[in-house]
Amino acid sequence: LSVRRREAVLAALDELGATSVIDLGCGRGELVGALLQRPRLTRVAGMDVSPMALAIAARKLRLDRMPDTRRARLTLFQGALTYTDRRLSGYDAAVLMEVIEHIDPPRLDAFERVVFGAATPRHVLVTTPNAEYNVRYPFLTGLRHPDHRFEWTRAEFTAWATGVAARYGYRVSFAPVGDDDPELGPPTQMGVFTRDLAS
């Protein structure tokens, strides 16, 4: 599923024609590595709250041995999604792949202001688990990961995304990621936000 998520995000970015992308909550850098494989992306950034995750990402990406031309396109830095940060601005697209469910619900308003209100990328891609699908995992009790603060149903995700889009001048569309169960929907749900240029 993690591979299919990454492929869905990359396909969406290709379709949107993004030439600069920031991976917010980049973790160990799997998506960042895939983004760097796309020559048309002139700038790629990865941000994470965890210095340890960033150190692992740097190792996995072989930052110390990366060719200068590729290294010049890449920025990795530590930061938090609930604090305004100028380094988040100036990208065509921001990706939050399986990140939002790690944010405490009372901090979602701050996250929205930082990403949609201050950084204002043209596009924002958000993937998150579909809680309805959890019954298909026979050994799962509770949430899918011990660090998840919540997991949304499709209706909850749609309501949140539609509200954010309306408040910050974006349009949003939705796409399934993984096998789309006729009763429960897909294991992962993706929202693709596009900012109204008049906003």
Side-chain angles (χ1 to χ4, degrees):
L1 183 58
S2 64
V3 171
R4 293 182 75 173
R5 267 195 301 266
R6 194 158 58 246
E7 288 173 348
V9 165
L10 291 168
L13 291 169
D14 286 345
E15 189 175 326
L16 295 168
T19 59
S20 59
V21 179
I22 184 165
D23 182 8
L24 299 173
C26 66
R28 298 178 174 200
E30 286 88 356
L31 178 61
V32 169
L35 293 169
L36 284 171
Q37 299 293 327
R38 283 165 152 69
R40 69 177 176 74
L41 293 177
T42 57
R43 289 193 305 136
V44 174
M47 187 208 81
D48 203 274
V49 72
S50 165
M52 183 181 292
L54 290 168
I56 293 169
R59 274 203 310 276
K60 288 181 78 170
L61 293 167
R62 298 181 178 178
L63 213 57
D64 57 337
R65 287 178 277 169
M66 188 177 284
D68 290 345
T69 52
R70 181 173 291 191
R71 181 68 185 89
R73 294 163 52 214
L74 173 64
T75 306
L76 290 176
F77 62 94
Q78 193 273 336
L81 285 169
T82 51
Y83 295 95
T84 304
D85 188 331
R86 285 178 296 180
R87 296 174 296 176
L88 306 184
S89 299
Y91 293 90
D92 291 341
V95 176
L96 295 110
M97 193 167 66
E98 307 299 286
V99 169
I100 195 167
E101 64 274 7
H102 294 269
I103 300 172
D104 287 316
R107 303 292 286 152
L108 284 174
D109 285 349
F111 153 76
E112 293 167 17
R113 285 193 299 273
V114 167
V115 174
F116 295 92
T120 61
R122 177 84 169 100
H123 307 284
V124 181
L125 281 66
V126 178
T127 76
T128 191
N130 167 20
E132 294 160 89
Y133 195 88
N134 287 355
V135 296
R136 292 289 187 250
Y137 298 113
F139 302 108
L140 183 66
T141 57
L143 302 179
R144 292 190 202 177
H145 189 281
D147 189 54
H148 285 184
R149 306 305 202 258
F150 62 88
E151 290 173 0
W152 277 324
T153 65
R154 287 168 292 169
E156 289 167 336
F157 181 53
T158 298
W160 172 80
T162 303
V164 168
R167 286 191 293 278
Y168 291 99
Y170 283 77
R171 301 183 310 277
V172 64
S173 61
F174 301 93
V177 179
D179 296 331
D180 201 353
D181 186 293
E183 296 173 44
L184 304 168
T188 294
Q189 46 195 340
M190 179 166 67
V192 179
F193 298 81
T194 297
R195 185 162 50 89
D196 182 351
L197 290 177
S199 296

